């Protein structure tokens, strides 16, 4: 347990940041899920729109330190490949 005033303050700050990060991560997952659902439905236009909306959200997660840069790039790349395959088929 935190004893010093500074460690107590850090514990409070960590709690607040955890909530913010949790919300941001959840928001990113929602955007990714929308792309996944559009791909599953077979609607290429909707999937492309959803991907365009998800990309800035993922990169914002990177700048805020919620997601690692390579992880975001990998997710975007894989989603883009699936959307491209859907529109080609």
């Amino acid at each position: 347990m935190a004893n010093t005033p500074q460690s107590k303050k850090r514990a409070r700050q960590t709690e607040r940041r955890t909530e913010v990060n949790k919300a941001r991560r959840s928001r990113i997952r929602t955007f990714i899920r929308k792309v996944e659902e559009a791909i599953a439905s077979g609607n290429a236009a909707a999937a492309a729109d959803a991907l365009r909306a998800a990309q800035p959200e993922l990169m914002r997660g990177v700048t805020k330190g919620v997601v690692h840069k390579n992880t975001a790039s990998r997710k975007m790349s894989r989603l883009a490949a699936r959307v491209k395959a859907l529109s080609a088929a």
Side-chain angles (χ1 to χ4, degrees):
M1 185 57 211
N3 290 320
T4 65
Q6 181 61 35
S7 60
K8 289 177 182 176
K9 179 179 178 179
R10 286 316 248 156
R12 289 193 307 271
Q13 288 176 330
T14 301
E15 261 179 51
R16 284 197 297 266
R17 293 310 312 162
T18 301
E19 286 303 311
V20 170
N21 289 342
K22 200 182 294 185
R24 192 167 277 125
R25 203 174 304 118
S26 173
R27 186 173 158 85
I28 291 169
R29 287 192 189 119
T30 301
F31 273 88
I32 291 174
R33 186 174 44 76
K34 286 179 183 174
V35 178
E36 299 273 359
E37 288 171 355
I39 291 170
S41 72
N43 188 345
D49 286 342
L51 180 63
R52 260 193 301 279
Q55 282 176 335
E57 205 58 44
L58 256 169
M59 292 324 287
R60 193 168 300 123
V62 171
T63 59
K64 299 297 183 180
V66 178
V67 184
H68 194 272
K69 186 169 78 169
N70 290 358
T71 303
S73 293
R74 183 182 68 241
K75 287 182 183 295
M76 277 197 298
S77 176
R78 288 179 181 174
L79 285 173
R82 288 172 62 195
V83 169
K84 185 177 178 184
L86 183 68
S87 58

